[in-house]
């Protein structure tokens, strides 16, 4: 198949790209574009050229799979140069998405026409990169400094309508006749002739750069790419000659490309898409229809889970045991939606629409007609089994029965029913309406179509779903548990909570193990006898330190939940250590990483060996989207490879930890 073809329409040459799935600029596309434009420029009968794409989208960017490989075909810059300096007008005809290198290609066309549904942007920053095909220099010349700085540093695409307002497109086409409208538009441009972007002046106020840095400082903490993007936009403003700015862009691009952040972010781009694929699924697996969902439990998790479905337009029946708990849960859902409406995320009318899809109930019998039921009650196997036994008797055949358990054995839960093929885990992360991750837990007897349906509905409600096998804590919590014990041990050896947590936040995690403990509550699972102090946690609880909920845990908290190191907590830790006869020593940040993070990597390998995750990149997806592992470090498995298997294995062996064979094999 030819990825670029040409055909003549009177005095216009149409260059047509066809490189599914997203018309990326693979080497053969660049070659085809070069040949196509050469043909059009050489033919005296041709007065204008239209660049258009087949399939679902305009060019969605450079071909990311080519990055890091030996270059092939004409280089991108030379193709762009050929277009921009062409002696006949070139018109980009845009539908779907013109992204990254795709938009850069369009910017080297002399005019742009787009259908109203098109989206245009430079999302490279999300791959740890910048638009290195001149995007940072040409966008400011077309849309102005402010808009260009926003687009480059945040990476969000803009609508065709906004593109028209900002001058990024010159005209809108009819949604269903881009080909025809582009031809007509091209003929109108023949008299005007080429309009090279490089010759246009940069306009606008460079003050936007500092404003963006101030507004996004928190979000961009640790990331290189947003700042590199802004430096390039500054260079566009500083240099009247585009070639000087392009030189800066090239240097910044190559630096990012060679760095580990972009490698990590590109890894995550593919990891995220790979996660949706289920190994060993029979080809003829069809999805079950999910028209109505039931949620059992209107607590924090049940409420959050419910919100996802309502927001997607799927009706939910939510069941609680007591009227007051039900009212409270429904009230919180409404309050959350109203808070979002107040921030302008959607209208009050939309709030009512979503709430109209919710049916509160005190009876499991009301779930009889649901297609998917998600149990979100507290973690107790006996209670869960009782609920699933009841559901088995009540709910129609073919419905999927899911548990939101975060640790428990889904096979045992399934055994409480006569239909284990319909039972699986759907483990959401708190707050369930916000966090992107969904672990879909495949039981021994889960039917392929039930699994595929749970994965698909996860995607529909905006989650990134990952398949996990049955084991204590599945992928995420099983690995998490491997860092808490050594973190506690470090306190006993002389570290302070703030020192350990800082290593994690410096690493790029949203919080460290002790901040997390305080958030969850130190009294969870506590025996409630202040005279019985066997662990550090007992000692803190005995002193009334329960965590964020009562303003004191490992840290002290003010009314706004601002955290400060606690002299009292640290004295309790000191006292407990002294009473345990543990000598105090200095602990380095490196040791904290080796003791807390290396065992997590090891656990990841064990999870893979046991077949509880389908692939290493799924584990990375779990950690990036469920626990806030910094995307620029690519998840624990990717990071482990960068850190070096040999280094990790020898540190683990020194700690007396059993190392996974597959990790050892890599060392
Ligand atoms: C760039 O342009 C650098 C330049 O500035 C400068 C260079 C000097 N390459 O997302 P989907 C695959 S950087 C290769 O599920 P959707 C994807 O892996 C690039 N492959 O579809 C998947 O494969 P599979 C800047 C790519 O409809 C399949 O296509 N551009 C690329 O939900 C379908 O993808 C971007 O960052 C690619 N560029 O969404 C845009 N893109 O089926 C990246 C996708 O085997 N792409 N694939 O799993 C997107 O944002 C979305 O794919 C898009 C479609 C919105 C286009």
């Amino acid at each position: 198949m030819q990825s670029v073809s040409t055909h003549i329409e009177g005095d216009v040459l149409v260059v047509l790209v066809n490189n599914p799935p997203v018309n990326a600029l693979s080497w053969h596309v660049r070659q085809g574009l070069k040949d196509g434009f050469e043909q059009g420029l050489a033919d005296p009968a041709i007065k204008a050229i239209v660049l258009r794409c087949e399939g679902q989208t305009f060019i969605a960017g450079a071909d990311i799979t080519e990055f890091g490989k030996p270059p092939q075909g004409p280089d991108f810059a030379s193709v762009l140069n050929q277009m921009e300096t062409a002696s006949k007008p070139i018109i980009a005809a845009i539908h779907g998405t013109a992204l990254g290198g795709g938009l850069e290609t369009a910017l080297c066309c002399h005019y742009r026409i787009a259908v109203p549904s098109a989206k245009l942007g430079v999302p490279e920053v999300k791959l740890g990169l910048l638009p290195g095909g001149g995007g940072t220099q040409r966008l400011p010349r077309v849309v102005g400094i402010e808009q260009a700085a926003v687009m480059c540093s945040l990476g969000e695409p803009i609508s065709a309508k906004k593109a028209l307002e900002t001058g990024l497109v010159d005209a809108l086409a009819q949604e269903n006749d881009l080909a025809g409208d582009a031809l007509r538009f091209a003929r109108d441009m023949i008299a005007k002739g080429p309009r090279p972007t490089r010759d246009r002046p940069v306009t606008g106020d460079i003050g936007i750069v500092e404003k963006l840095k101030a507004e996004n400082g928190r979000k961009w903490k640790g990331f290189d790419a947003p700042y590199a993007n802004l430096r390039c936009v500054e260079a566009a403003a500083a240099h009247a000659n585009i070639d000087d700015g392009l030189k800066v862009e090239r240097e910044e691009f190559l630096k990012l490309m060679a760095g580990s952040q972009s490698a990590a972010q590109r890894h995550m781009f593919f990891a995220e898409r790979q996660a949706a694929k289920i190994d060993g699924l029979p080809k003829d697996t069809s999805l079950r229809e999910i028209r109505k969902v039931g949620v059992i439990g209107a607590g924090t998790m049940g409420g959050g889970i419910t919100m996802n479905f309502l927001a997607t337009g799927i009706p939910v029946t939510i069941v609680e045991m007591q009227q007051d708990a039900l009212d409270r849960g429904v009230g919180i859902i409404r309050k959350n939606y109203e808070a979002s409406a107040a921030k302008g995320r959607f209208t009050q009318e939309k709030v009512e629409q979503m709430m109209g899809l919710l049916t509160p109930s005190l009876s499991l019998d009301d779930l009889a007609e649901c297609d998917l039921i998600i149990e979100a009650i507290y973690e107790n196997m006996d209670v869960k089994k009782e609920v699933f036994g009841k559901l088995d008797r009540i709910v129609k055949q073919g419905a999927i029965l899911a548990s939101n358990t975060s640790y428990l054995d889904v096979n045992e839960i399934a055994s409480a029913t006569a239909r284990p093929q319909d039972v699986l885990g759907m483990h959401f992360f708190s707050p369930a309406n916000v966090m992107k991750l969904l672990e879909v837990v495949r039981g021994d007897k889960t039917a392929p179509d039930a699994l595929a349906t749970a994965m698909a509905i996860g995607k529909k409600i905006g989650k990134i779903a990952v398949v996990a096998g049955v084991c204590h804590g599945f992928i995420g919590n099983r690995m998490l548990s491997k860092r808490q014990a050594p973190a506690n041990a470090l306190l006993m050896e002389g570290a302070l909570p703030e020192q350990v947590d800082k290593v994690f936040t410096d690493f790029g995690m949203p919080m460290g193990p002790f901040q997390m403990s305080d958030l969850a509550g130190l009294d969870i699972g506590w025996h409630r006898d202040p005279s019985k102090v066997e662990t550090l946690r007992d000692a803190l609880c005995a002193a009334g330190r329960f965590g964020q909920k009562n303003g004191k845990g490992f840290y002290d908290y003010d009314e706004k939940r601002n955290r400060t190191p606690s002299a009292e907590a640290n004295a309790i830790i000191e006292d407990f250590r002294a009473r345990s006869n543990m000598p105090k020593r200095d602990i380095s940040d490196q040791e904290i990483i080796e003791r807390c993070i290396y065992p997590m990597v090891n656990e990841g390998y064990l999870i893979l060996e046991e077949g509880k995750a389908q692939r290493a990149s799924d584990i990375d997806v779990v950690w990036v989207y469920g626990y806030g592992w910094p995307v620029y470090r690519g998840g624990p498995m990717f990071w482990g490879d960068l850190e070096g298997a040999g280094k990790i294995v020898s540190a683990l062996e020194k700690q007396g930890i059993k190392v996974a064979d597959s990790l050892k094999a890599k060392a």
Side-chain angles (χ1 to χ4, degrees), residues 516-549:
M516 205 181 213
S517 301
D518 273 359
L519 184 66
L522 300 184
D523 57 335
I524 291 180
W526 180 47
H527 46 58
R528 302 193 184 275
D529 177 359
S531 68
K532 201 169 121 197
V533 175
E534 285 165 357
T535 64
L536 181 54
R537 217 172 232 248
D538 292 346
L540 289 163
C541 287
R545 304 191 70 92
F546 299 147
Q548 271 198 25
K549 64 174 85 165

Side-chain angles (χ1 to χ4, degrees), residues 21-22 24-25 56-57 60-65 67 76 97 99-102 104 122-124 127 129-133 250 253 269-270 273-274 277 459:
V22 298
L25 287 161
Q56 58 167 0
T57 179
D63 183 343
I64 311 169
T65 61
F67 290 178
F76 188 34
T97 46
L99 298 178
E104 292 174 303
V122 275
E124 281 88 341
L127 297 170
L129 292 172
L130 54 84
R250 189 84 206 134
F253 181 78
F269 177 85
F270 290 113
R273 283 157 179 82
Q274 192 68 16
K277 297 178 181 135
K459 182 167 183 190

